[in-house]
Amino acid sequence: MSKFYVTTPIYYVNDKPHIGTAYTTVVADVLARWHRLKGEEVFFLTGTDEHGIKIYKAAMAKGKTPKEFVDAVVPEFVSAWKSLDISYDKFIRTSDKDHEERVKKFIMKLWDNGDIYKGVYTGLYCVPDETFVSESEAKDGKCPSCGRPLETVSEEAYFFRLSKYKDRVIELIKKGLVIPQEKANELLSRLQGDLKDLDVTRKSVKWGVEFPPDPSHTVYVWFDALLNYITALGWPEQDKFNKFWPADVHIVGKDIVWFHAVIWPAMLMAAGMEPPKAVLSHGWWTIDGRKMSKSLGNVVDPVELAKKYSADPVRYFMVREKTVWDDGNFSEKALKERINGELMADLSNLVARVVTLAEKTGNLRSGEAELEGFIDFGRFSSLMDNYNISSALEEILIGIRKVNKYFNDKKPWASTPESLSNTLYNALEALRMISILISPFMPSVSDEIDKQLGVGHGAIKDIGFKEFVGNPKRGKNIFDKLSE
Ligand code: MSP
């Protein structure tokens, strides 16, 4: 059986979930569900990144110990993902004891083979981003990525021989590690410059994993965090690790691709392990045309959205409104338009009309498959496998519209009993397949359609016109029209 290992970044817990973190998680969930539907063995990992100076400072600001602080925030992530119907297989926390022990083992492996050495670090550090910034990257003493002021730090530190792996990393990126290609090009041009060894410990930061060769240091938060992708599989234990590693895809926002496509593969190479198969870089959401930020007060809360619209329309909107790798704009107006225009007008009405008539008519088990090929399934599949999720959804919509048109053109309410029965057979089978295909995006809607058709949950192997073995019974509307 083939496997699929998909991950989200692990999120900083100095903030509660927002539309950005929710987006990464929804994309990962859609892919995880899609691969389960194909009958693959899936491991879907998410979790929280809990160490480092940023979290430490956030805890202090609240008058809590770091541990108390993170323990209080993590449940917000767990419940947010529940409200968005996220089907992760594991939720890892970097403060988990077994994670910490495994990080130490990894460090010792690199230490023993000489890829970590002692030196002195002097330089600029961006506290909110937890990143070191070189003089040339800094813009007027500010962080080039977030624009906030940098701090100068100088301390004894341990370094990872990142430079040693430069050529192999370049090779890997050239072979297609990073999606999309523009992002890969950006990394490749950055890699033409100097690639310095990476400071992987901090003496001044106490809230972190102890650095085993020198316990007066803690492990740099990114080094600790990236390792979650293997510690979650139990590494260095082999069972799960052998089964699922390498990851099929790490889904990450465009701001953290460098860590995943340069530093992380180099770490793995140093340990003699395979790099991930793909790093998918996704674009960012702006809110009503502006950057989302606490200071602008325009942070969108995904939990509130799910409460207001229910999870499925929110999930649908996120993966439909923009392609994964581009930036896009979020607005409730656009969300309502998608719901009214696509889900309500095309899908909800179709279910209502077909099921109502089928319930009255009966005897719809077989017939001539007139809607064969109503969805280009091969195309849908390949779009999904290439992360072109929005276009894959377009294929389903085209199919739904075809069924609508077919149903109207056939005028089933005015036709002979045989023709009526055949039309219904086609429409019911089409709906059964539509329900299968939308289930990765809208699992509850799919459940509701199955219920009204009176069929069990389908999978990809059930695609194709067969005998209709259901028992249609009209239930609630799949969607109701939302006021503008
Ligand atoms: N802790 C690190 C990741 C470590 S992974 C080993 C981290 N955490 S984060 O909480 O700051 O960000 C998580 C993700 O949210 C990133 O992928 C980031 O790109 C994404 N987003 C943050 N704001 C976003 C938008 N406005 N829109 C879309 N995604 C955004 O980085």
Side-chain angles (χ1 to χ4, degrees):
M1 190 199 276
S2 57
K3 64 91 185 172
F4 185 73
Y5 179 24
V6 56
T7 68
T8 73
I10 48 173
Y11 305 113
Y12 288 131
V13 288
N14 61 320
D15 211 350
K16 58 180 193 170
H18 52 67
I19 193 89
T21 45
Y23 177 66
T24 323
T25 314
V26 166
V27 171
D29 188 63
V30 165
L31 292 173
R33 289 177 186 269
W34 161 241
H35 284 268
R36 288 190 199 112
L37 209 58
K38 292 203 288 183
E40 296 171 17
E41 192 167 357
V42 170
F43 193 71
F44 169 16
L45 176 69
T46 192
T48 43
D49 190 353
E50 305 182 10
H51 290 134
I53 193 159
K54 174 158 58 180
I55 308 298
Y56 182 83
K57 287 188 173 173
M60 291 304 118
K62 285 248 158 105
K64 291 185 175 174
T65 67
K67 183 71 175 126
E68 282 167 358
F69 175 76
V70 297
D71 284 350
V73 183
V74 167
E76 291 207 50
F77 279 86
V78 173
S79 75
W81 300 159
K82 189 157 191 264
S83 71
L84 284 167
D85 221 343
I86 304 297
S87 61
Y88 56 76
D89 296 294
K90 183 172 169 70
F91 189 107
I92 190 168
R93 299 180 53 180
T94 53
S95 66
D96 289 341
K97 281 287 157 268
D98 51 359
H99 168 78
E100 296 189 357
E101 288 313 311
R102 290 163 186 161
V103 168
K104 289 183 191 168
K105 287 189 178 137
F106 188 90
I107 297 270
M108 284 318 292
K109 203 171 160 76
L110 268 52
W111 178 257
D112 289 342
N113 71 16
D115 271 343
I116 293 179
Y117 64 91
K118 189 172 183 174
V120 173
Y121 179 83
T122 308
L124 299 167
Y125 193 78
C126 175
V127 175
D129 282 0
E130 301 279 12
T131 47
F132 294 109
V133 177
S134 69
E135 296 285 347
S136 61
E137 288 169 329
K139 293 199 177 111
D140 302 327
K142 302 230 168 75
C143 172
S145 127
C146 71
R148 286 171 283 202
L150 296 165
E151 285 178 20
T152 302
V153 295
S154 178
E155 59 180 31
E156 165 194 289
Y158 292 83
F159 290 81
F160 164 53
R161 289 189 202 283
L162 180 60
S163 58
K164 182 173 157 189
Y165 297 96
K166 180 175 173 178
D167 292 345
R168 282 175 66 191
V169 167
I170 291 177
E171 195 59 23
L172 190 67
I173 297 174
K174 283 189 175 157
K175 279 199 185 133
L177 173 72
V178 178
I179 307 161
Q181 189 56 41
E182 297 83 80
K183 194 69 198 180
N185 295 343
E186 201 183 302
L187 296 181
L188 288 170
S189 86
R190 190 169 159 190
L191 280 164
Q192 279 174 356
D194 236 16
L195 183 64
K196 289 210 182 66
D197 288 347
L198 180 74
D199 175 354
V200 293
T201 68
R202 294 298 304 274
K203 202 165 184 162
S204 51
V205 178
K206 294 293 165 223
W207 175 238
V209 179
E210 185 184 287
F211 180 67
D214 178 350
S216 67
H217 287 247
T218 57
V219 177
Y220 171 43
V221 61
W222 266 100
F223 211 80
D224 161 12
L226 287 163
L227 286 167
N228 93 88
Y229 301 128
I230 60 168
T231 64
L233 296 177
W235 184 90
E237 282 150 44
Q238 294 295 306
D239 276 12
K240 236 185 181 150
F241 179 74
N242 279 341
K243 187 165 182 184
F244 288 108
W245 192 258
D248 291 82
V249 61
H250 292 311
I251 301 173
V252 302
K254 60 181 181 178
D255 53 323
I256 56 174
V257 179
W258 177 264
F259 294 94
H260 287 82
V262 176
I263 296 174
W264 176 226
M267 286 166 67
L268 289 161
M269 287 168 188
M273 298 187 312
E274 275 185 80
K277 289 191 198 158
V279 175
L280 175 63
S281 166
H282 73 69
W284 274 41
W285 288 100
T286 51
I287 311 299
D288 297 318
R290 306 174 76 187
K291 192 177 156 107
M292 179 173 73
S293 78
K294 274 191 194 161
S295 51
L296 284 175
N298 63 352
V299 176
V300 176
D301 182 344
V303 177
E304 290 301 316
L305 282 178
K307 257 190 218 149
K308 191 161 164 190
Y309 298 101
S310 80
D312 282 8
V314 176
R315 294 167 57 101
Y316 176 84
F317 176 80
M318 285 183 177
V319 288
R320 171 76 179 127
E321 182 72 3
K322 71 177 196 71
T323 45
V324 170
W325 35 82
D326 292 317
D327 293 339
N329 187 53
F330 179 90
S331 75
E332 279 196 51
K333 182 167 177 284
L335 185 142
K336 286 182 192 170
E337 277 167 12
R338 289 280 179 199
I339 300 176
N340 286 342
E342 295 178 350
L343 300 180
M344 230 315 281
D346 294 329
L347 181 60
S348 193
N349 279 344
L350 180 64
V351 173
R353 291 192 303 155
V354 172
V355 175
T356 305
L357 198 56
E359 188 175 359
K360 273 195 237 151
T361 312
N363 185 30
L364 323 142
R365 298 204 163 258
S366 58
E368 208 179 306
E370 294 174 325
L371 277 170
E372 194 77 66
F374 76 109
I375 287 176
D376 186 340
F377 180 69
R379 196 175 139 73
F380 172 81
S381 233
S382 106
L383 287 167
M384 286 301 284
D385 289 338
N386 289 296
Y387 311 107
N388 207 332
I389 303 176
S390 178
S391 304
L393 277 170
E394 182 71 32
E395 288 298 313
I396 303 182
L397 282 172
I398 291 170
I400 294 173
R401 286 173 192 144
K402 275 188 199 154
V403 183
N404 262 313
K405 179 166 187 323
Y406 166 87
F407 200 70
N408 289 343
D409 290 352
K410 287 281 176 177
K411 299 196 172 40
W413 50 92
S415 64
T416 63
E418 298 77 52
S419 162
L420 166 64
S421 168
N422 200 56
T423 305
L424 282 168
Y425 161 77
N426 274 278
L428 288 166
E429 275 292 273
L431 276 179
R432 179 182 65 76
M433 289 179 238
I434 288 165
S435 172
I436 294 171
L437 295 184
I438 64 167
S439 66
F441 314 94
M442 298 185 284
S444 303
V445 168
S446 167
D447 284 352
E448 181 60 28
I449 296 176
D450 289 348
K451 202 169 121 200
Q452 297 198 21
L453 295 176
V455 300
H457 290 305
I460 292 307
K461 63 176 176 22
D462 306 311
I463 295 290
F465 282 82
K466 307 187 167 137
E467 186 186 355
F468 176 74
V469 282
N471 183 21
K473 196 164 174 27
R474 181 79 180 110
K476 64 176 189 211
N477 284 340
I478 304 291
F479 293 99
D480 288 313
K481 190 167 168 36
L482 295 166
S483 54
E484 301 292 317

